[in-house]
Amino acid sequence: ASEQKYPCVPPSEGTPVDALPNELLSYIFTLGSGAEEDGDHDYDSDGDEGKSPQDGSQLPFKVLVSHVCRRWRTVAVEIPTLWTHLDFAEGPPFDKSRTWLERSKGCPLDIELDCTIDDDARSGESDDQADAFPGRVSPLDLPIVRDFILPHAARWRIFELMVNDFQIMYGILSTLASIPSAPQLQALRLYHYDEDEDYDHFSPAHLKQPFAPFCGRAPGLLQAALWGVHVDWETCAFLQGLEELELAYHAKDVRPPYAIFTRILQASPDLHILTLCASGPAGSPEDWPTDVIELPSVKHLVLAFVEPSYVSALMKRLVFPNLSSLALDFDPEDYSSFLEQLAGPAAPPVHRRSLCHNLIDLKISGMHCTNAALRTFFSALPNLASLNLNCYHLPRHFFDYLYPDLKKKHKTTTTTVEDDDEQHEGEGEGEGEDEDDELLCYLPKLETLTTSGISGEEMRDLLTRRTVPPIRHVLMDSTADVADNEEEWLRAHVETFDFFECSDDEDETLIVEVEDEDEDEDEDEDEGQVVDGEGDGVPGEWIDYDDPTE
């Protein structure tokens, strides 16, 4: 009777799972914990052994199974690989992290430290350290964290640090430079989130000195991400053999020299992801060697926030014959020549076909260009299957050119802007049509369309007109203006439809409207820019403080 009233009470005679051997339980726990990490599930990082969340927060899977019964706890605690992720987010005295560190035994460690500061704390509205660093590490606690993890530096597998005060990063870099090597390190991720958009000179100047973490020795490094963090490029021998490289937000005077930049790329024959965001080789493109470097292993390329002349010069020297995914995000300047360059064949002496030919995935988050350049670019993408457009930062024609376009067969498209406008008003009508005309679309293999800043009415109109070839999968940003009947129609006319969460800046920035496509997009230079307030951050280095309240 009690089992009927309380179905979650286990039967007194035991359950089939009790017959599983410990080895199989261990395997199940490992799979479950791995699935949780891969899915990036949220949980209460402050939760510790002996605590059951009463507010609906979710314990980590490994902690959850260790609370089921004594046997499961014994099995879980004896699996060292379950306890290798340390973030010290629970705060001092770090009992949870100390326990997990002990349970990890000799396994490689994944250390992720978030020392970013809440906006309220940066503005002085909060005096409570716990409020300033919810689920993060206070800079004042870094000496304690240091004492926990430095003795285990030889078994770090991942080291990730996030700050918005470079003084904290500087102190930690100086400490990392004292470590003789990181023999098991596979991923180094250093993020300095800064609101300063002056990329000509590094600031603060007194913290400009570069360091070589681990004395430049991390022979197993596969992933490197440096956001606003420069290192001693010459000494860091670990910048080779990489599979993923991300350089972002570097002032021009602390970027790697061109020779070292190309050496890093050429010394990484298995590099498959390359991201350059407001970063890249130092110096003026006019002073760079003109040798062409072929990078056949790179499949995914991200280029963002670099000047048109800079990115154009760089892409004349780098060739990506097997590129399948490209992401572009630029300020509102004219990138027409750059798009036409991408659509053309590779630079000699390679003489390969266009970089665009093999692209199957393209994301464009911001740029301006002429109609002619966009037509040329879209015409060079015959195999593109997935397109992501952030129309909060793009002129209207990036979306409009997805509509069917009346083009002459056997002829290169040379229509004027006025012709394009007439075609969108009513295909199949007007002067100049004959039996050689046919309704064609740019991006003939496009199946998946992701948009930000497009309404449900606009998406429905596009899908109604573009029926051959049809778009099969649609994702729209969650803030898009989509009425219930429009959502119902969209779900009925595509194979999959869903919403996704867009970033904050997409919500706060004006949509670029281009009313008259006869003109170039120069008038869009007044696009709204969102600039957060200045913040000094909380001083802190990875050293002991004489006065913890300083």
Side-chain angles (χ1 to χ4, degrees):
S2 63
E3 293 181 12
Q4 293 177 351
K5 186 176 180 180
Y6 302 105
C8 293
V9 177
S12 58
E13 63 272 15
T15 60
V17 74
D18 291 333
L20 293 177
N22 288 353
E23 292 79 7
L24 188 52
L25 271 181
S26 176
Y27 181 64
I28 293 172
F29 293 169
T30 301
L31 289 179
S33 182
E36 179 183 59
E37 293 174 1
D38 292 342
D40 195 27
H41 293 279
D42 293 330
Y43 59 84
D44 181 12
S45 61
D46 295 334
D48 199 358
E49 275 66 46
K51 295 183 180 179
S52 297
Q54 303 297 325
D55 59 355
S57 58
Q58 179 183 350
L59 288 173
F61 177 81
K62 52 200 170 191
V63 176
L64 189 64
V65 297
S66 72
H67 288 185
V68 172
C69 64
R70 182 174 300 173
R71 181 189 172 216
W72 281 30
R73 180 176 182 81
T74 300
V75 172
V77 168
E78 291 302 317
I79 307 173
T81 55
L82 292 186
W83 312 100
T84 57
H85 179 266
L86 304 174
D87 60 17
F88 297 88
E90 76 274 19
F94 301 109
D95 290 337
K96 185 201 78 171
S97 296
R98 178 187 290 107
T99 300
W100 289 21
L101 188 59
E102 293 171 354
R103 293 177 183 175
S104 69
K105 299 179 180 178
C107 291
L109 298 173
D110 299 342
I111 299 172
E112 300 179 6
L113 306 177
D114 184 352
C115 299
T116 56
I117 306 171
D118 270 358
D119 292 338
D120 289 345
R122 300 177 72 186
S123 62
E125 296 179 10
S126 173
D127 296 327
D128 192 332
Q129 286 294 313
D131 292 338
F133 301 94
R136 303 175 207 150
V137 181
S138 167
L140 300 178
D141 296 326
L142 282 175
I144 304 175
V145 174
R146 172 201 62 192
D147 293 341
F148 273 122
I149 64 177
L150 279 187
H152 305 278
R155 59 187 183 105
W156 294 358
R157 183 181 67 172
I158 296 174
F159 183 82
E160 176 176 304
L161 173 67
M162 295 177 283
V163 306
N164 46 20
D165 182 347
F166 195 80
Q167 184 175 340
I168 301 171
M169 181 65 70
Y170 185 87
I172 293 181
L173 285 172
S174 65
T175 300
L176 296 181
S178 67
I179 300 174
S181 68
Q184 297 195 60
L185 191 68
Q186 296 182 13
L188 177 64
R189 307 176 188 131
L190 304 176
Y191 303 102
H192 171 222
Y193 302 114
D194 188 13
E195 297 170 356
D196 186 3
E197 297 184 358
D198 179 11
Y199 294 116
D200 289 330
H201 304 286
F202 177 81
S203 177
H206 68 283
L207 302 179
K208 185 178 178 180
Q209 176 189 350
F211 293 95
F214 320 111
C215 297
R217 293 188 286 269
L221 194 68
L222 299 176
Q223 304 173 16
L226 301 173
W227 276 42
V229 178
H230 59 284
V231 296
D232 187 340
W233 306 105
E234 180 65 37
T235 306
C236 288
F238 56 69
L239 293 175
Q240 61 180 337
L242 302 175
E243 293 181 357
E244 300 180 21
L245 175 62
E246 183 174 11
L247 301 178
Y249 305 109
H250 290 119
K252 294 179 180 179
D253 56 348
V254 295
R255 294 179 181 180
Y258 184 85
I260 295 179
F261 173 78
T262 55
R263 185 187 70 188
I264 294 171
L265 299 182
Q266 292 176 303
S268 301
D270 296 321
L271 184 69
H272 60 268
I273 300 178
L274 175 61
T275 299
L276 301 175
C277 176
S279 185
S284 172
E286 289 80 7
D287 300 328
W288 295 344
T290 58
D291 299 345
V292 175
I293 300 173
E294 191 167 356
L295 301 171
S297 64
V298 177
K299 301 295 176 58
H300 309 280
L301 177 64
V302 179
L303 300 172
F305 303 121
V306 286
E307 301 88 347
S309 58
Y310 183 95
V311 70
S312 178
L314 187 62
M315 292 301 287
K316 288 178 180 177
R317 292 160 173 80
L318 302 180
V319 175
F320 304 91
N322 299 313
L323 196 68
S324 61
S325 174
L326 176 64
L328 304 173
D329 188 2
F330 300 125
D331 288 324
E333 298 183 59
D334 186 1
Y335 284 83
S336 301
S337 297
F338 174 66
L339 287 186
E340 293 170 346
Q341 176 184 333
L342 292 183
V350 179
H351 292 298
R352 292 187 183 273
R353 57 191 175 188
S354 166
L355 170 146
C356 298
H357 185 82
N358 293 329
L359 285 183
I360 60 174
D361 181 81
L362 174 64
K363 180 177 181 179
I364 307 179
S365 300
M367 75 164 63
H368 284 186
C369 68
T370 63
N371 293 280
L374 185 58
R375 286 196 298 269
T376 300
F377 183 59
F378 274 7
S379 296
L381 297 166
N383 298 305
L384 194 74
S386 176
L387 177 64
N388 186 327
L389 295 177
N390 182 353
C391 294
Y392 287 107
H393 299 276
L394 290 172
R396 177 71 194 193
H397 59 184
F398 279 83
F399 183 77
D400 285 346
Y401 278 154
L402 300 180
Y403 281 83
D405 185 36
L406 195 63
K407 300 190 296 186
K408 296 276 188 169
K409 291 190 298 184
H410 311 304
K411 291 185 179 181
T412 302
T413 304
T414 57
T415 56
T416 65
V417 175
E418 290 83 355
D419 293 333
D420 287 339
D421 293 339
E422 294 172 3
Q423 290 157 13
H424 283 304
E425 292 299 324
E427 289 81 20
E429 298 180 3
E431 298 180 1
E433 295 183 32
D434 56 35
E435 64 275 8
D436 289 331
D437 290 343
E438 83 177 349
L439 202 61
L440 297 177
C441 289
Y442 293 108
L443 317 181
K445 294 186 178 180
L446 183 65
E447 293 188 347
T448 301
L449 178 60
T450 303
T451 61
S452 301
I454 294 298
S455 68
E457 180 182 4
E458 292 168 319
M459 184 63 72
R460 176 174 178 171
D461 184 58
L462 172 65
L463 298 181
T464 300
R465 298 199 195 188
R466 186 181 173 116
T467 56
V468 180
I471 295 174
R472 303 180 184 277
H473 312 281
V474 173
L475 292 91
M476 303 181 69
D477 71 282
S478 57
T479 61
D481 182 11
V482 182
D484 291 343
N485 64 315
E486 293 166 346
E487 179 181 346
E488 181 180 357
W489 187 94
L490 291 170
R491 292 188 183 279
H493 287 79
V494 294
E495 294 180 13
T496 60
F497 175 83
D498 207 349
F499 293 100
F500 68 93
E501 294 292 332
C502 61
S503 62
D504 293 340
D505 67 319
E506 292 169 354
D507 293 335
E508 299 172 1
T509 307
L510 298 175
I511 299 177
V512 180
E513 295 289 350
V514 180
E515 300 294 344
D516 185 359
E517 293 193 357
D518 293 359
E519 302 173 2
D520 291 339
E521 281 66 45
D522 296 341
E523 66 272 17
D524 296 314
E525 292 178 356
D526 60 347
E527 177 184 354
Q529 300 295 319
V530 178
V531 181
D532 295 332
E534 294 293 333
D536 294 332
V538 174
E541 297 182 16
W542 210 354
I543 56 177
D544 294 306
Y545 283 91
D546 295 331
D547 181 2
T549 63
E550 183 176 345

